[in-house]
Structure formats: C-alpha cells, structure tokens
Amino acid sequence: MRLSSDWKDYALIDVSNGERLERWGEVILIRPDPQIIWTNPNPSPLWNTADAIYHRSSRGGGEWEFKKKIPESWAIGYKGLKFKVKPTGFKHTGLFPEQAVNWDFCRQTIGEPTVENFLKASSIRVLNLFAYTGGATLACLSAGAMVCHLDAVKNMVEWAKQNASKTGLSSAAVRWIVDDAVKFLKREIKRQNKYDAIILDPPSYGRGTNGEMWKLEECINELMNLCACVLSNNPLFIMLNSYTSGLSPTVMAYLLKMTVGHKFDITVTADEIGLPVQHTGLCVPCGNTAIALFNRRAAGGRLF
C-alpha cells in the first residue's frame, strides 16, 4: 500500500463502527465509511471532542450535526498547496487526503521547478479528467506543467479555481473546462490535441453535463482507448484512480495494458493507496491507483 503519510494539516485519528474520526486543520469531524467493519475496543478519547458528525439517512444522503460552531469553510495546506474544505451535503469535504501520495508522484515525475528543468517541465501538457477540486491539477501546475482541468460539475471547477488562487497559481498555465469526459476526448481527437500525461479519477456512478449515465465498469474501457488516442508521441505517464471495489489493482493494471499498452511501450504499477491511523498505528485503504510509465528516456537512460 502507498500511504499519504506526510500530512500536517490533516490526520485520520481513529476508525471504528463504520466511522472515521478526522482532523481537518483545527476542526475534528466524524464521517461514515462503510468499509470500517470493525469496532476498536480501545477507541481514541477524541471521539468525544468532535466538532461535527455526519449522519446518514435511510432515504439516502444525510445531514451534519454540529456539536460546536465551526467556520462555513476553511483552508488546509499540503507541501505548499492550499485547499478550501467545508462540510458538504454528501459527507465529503472537497478533498480526498489519500490522494496526496499521487500528488507527490506527479510533482516528482514532472520535476520540481528549478533553473535546470524549467523548460522541460513547462513543455509538459497534462490532462486531468474528473478533476474535482483540483488536487492533482495544483500539484502538476506547481511542478511547472501546463494543465487542462476538466470536470462535469461547474461548482467543482469553480472550487478548483479557488484552490489555485489560494496556492498562488491563478496565473499558471491552466484551462478550466466544464464538460463530459468522453465527449471532450472525442473532440480533442478530432482537433488533434495531444497530452504528455493523463490523470483520471472517474466516479463509480455519475451523470454527464446533459444527464448521460456513467457506470465505471461499463465505460472505462472506451475511456482508456480514447485517452490512448490523445497521448503525444513521447508521453510521460497515465494515472488511473478507482474507489470501486470491483476494480482491483490487478484489474486496473490489466486494463491499462490492454488499452494504452497496445499503442505504447509501458510499465504498469498498481496498488492500494491509504492513510495511516494515528491511534492504532495501522493503515486504512482508501482506493486503488494504477500508473503506466512510458519508456520515455533521454541520453544516459534517465527518465525525463
């Protein structure tokens, strides 16, 4: 498992009885997590200090119970990136902290901006699909890449813009797109636009901008084939995330090899990503990531 263990403004304090106890900055929240099927016999005393608890409804959705007055929204940071977080009506806060390990990968692979690699990084074009509030977008921009940030939900794109502003990246080379991913890719193929890296974080279920139904297992093969068609002649990586239990790391790796791997020479790694639990010292899985690295090498054999 690849862990997001470098957080300072976030902590997964404890997990028990189908719930997470988390610290977001100075705010402590309790949120449901159906995979937490165990009971901690020695729970953290901080369960009793939570500022807010999200209660699921039997009719779907749910609502927050606020034990204390908290801000409507606040900011947290990760290695120079800044994010607005707030309790939403669907239990989320606008950020998936386990993805930090993937943000680190993006930065390291593109290359932190320095005098030596500035020209290299600034020529890398990244397509971030289902980009939500822009964690991966900010990571790539901060490394000097140009990013096309796409999400079907306008409010999420606006939220991502706010995060870019908080991080000081308002003037960075980014296109903000509200669109359906499949339709956008088909248009990019016709326009012959190309990208050196693609990041995908598709939902298990969803709807496009015009109400199109999306089911991951039924749509992902077409999506990956379309992605293969917008890659440049010398691409860098593709990163595929999934929170769907049916898409194990091995299945995702096989998928990349059967789609992208039929057009390019790739090396695929796939694993769970997760978060350390402060109180127990154990780790909770929070999804899977498969990464295809392309054999893109410069003189001396170094990946560039």
Side-chain angles (χ1 to χ4, degrees):
M1 183 187 298
R2 297 165 56 235
L3 292 177
S4 293
S5 55
D6 292 342
W7 278 99
K8 292 181 173 54
D9 285 358
Y10 169 85
L12 182 54
I13 301 169
D14 199 6
V15 287
S16 184
N17 291 318
E19 293 182 315
R20 294 183 177 200
L21 178 68
E22 302 168 295
R23 177 179 61 81
W24 298 84
E26 301 300 320
V27 179
I28 295 180
L29 303 178
I30 295 176
R31 299 190 298 153
D33 186 336
Q35 74 172 331
I36 310 301
I37 59 176
W38 56 86
T39 298
N40 186 350
N42 181 31
S44 167
L46 295 178
W47 285 98
N48 298 319
T49 69
D51 297 296
I53 305 171
Y54 187 87
H55 299 288
R56 285 195 180 278
S57 169
S58 59
R59 299 183 300 273
E63 62 181 4
W64 287 93
E65 176 190 1
F66 294 97
K67 299 289 189 178
K68 304 172 187 175
K69 184 176 177 58
I70 65 174
E72 180 180 348
S73 67
W74 62 99
I76 66 172
Y78 180 80
K79 296 183 180 179
L81 309 179
K82 300 292 184 182
F83 305 99
K84 181 184 82 170
V85 295
K86 66 176 183 178
T88 71
F90 297 96
K91 87 169 183 176
H92 298 300
T93 63
L95 197 66
F96 294 100
E98 65 273 8
Q99 286 293 328
V101 70
N102 288 332
W103 306 338
D104 290 342
F105 168 86
C106 292
R107 280 173 145 175
Q108 292 161 6
T109 306
I110 293 169
E112 299 285 356
T114 63
V115 173
E116 290 78 15
N117 69 17
F118 175 77
L119 290 176
K120 170 187 76 74
S122 62
S123 67
I124 293 173
R125 300 186 65 200
V126 179
L127 175 59
N128 188 10
L129 298 172
F130 312 96
Y132 196 47
T133 59
T137 294
L138 268 58
C140 294
L141 289 174
S142 69
M146 299 179 289
V147 180
C148 179
H149 172 110
L150 182 144
D151 198 279
V153 181
K154 183 178 181 180
N155 289 344
M156 291 300 103
V157 176
E158 292 301 318
W159 196 330
K161 290 180 182 180
Q162 294 174 30
N163 288 337
S165 177
K166 290 179 182 295
T167 306
L169 293 168
S170 295
S171 59
V174 57
R175 294 168 59 203
W176 304 106
I177 307 291
V178 179
D179 204 349
D180 174 82
V182 171
K183 291 181 178 179
F184 175 80
L185 285 169
K186 289 179 178 178
R187 287 197 297 271
E188 289 293 85
I189 292 170
K190 291 181 179 179
R191 290 186 286 241
Q192 298 185 342
N193 285 337
K194 300 293 183 179
Y195 298 89
D196 304 299
I198 302 177
I199 301 165
L200 306 96
D201 200 350
S204 301
Y205 300 92
R207 291 187 180 273
T209 52
N210 295 318
E212 303 91 344
M213 278 298 299
W214 165 274
K215 187 175 180 181
L216 183 59
E217 290 90 342
E218 297 175 358
C219 302
I220 189 64
N221 192 76
E222 177 193 14
L223 182 69
M224 296 313 304
N225 279 316
L226 291 172
C227 285
C229 293
V230 298
L231 286 167
S232 67
N233 292 330
N234 198 21
L236 191 57
F237 69 86
I238 283 188
M239 175 185 291
L240 172 63
N241 294 296
S242 174
Y243 299 92
T244 301
S245 58
L247 264 64
S248 68
T250 302
V251 168
M252 294 166 66
Y254 206 108
L255 172 68
L256 287 178
K257 291 174 183 176
M258 289 294 102
T259 53
V260 180
H262 271 249
K263 295 191 67 173
F264 296 89
D265 182 14
I266 61 175
T267 300
V268 179
T269 59
D271 207 343
E272 291 181 317
I273 58 173
L275 292 164
V277 182
Q278 279 188 343
H279 187 65
T280 63
L282 302 174
C283 302
V284 170
C286 303
N288 305 315
T289 299
I291 300 172
L293 275 173
F294 297 80
N295 288 338
R296 167 190 173 124
R297 296 188 177 273
R302 292 184 60 193
L303 201 72
F304 78 102

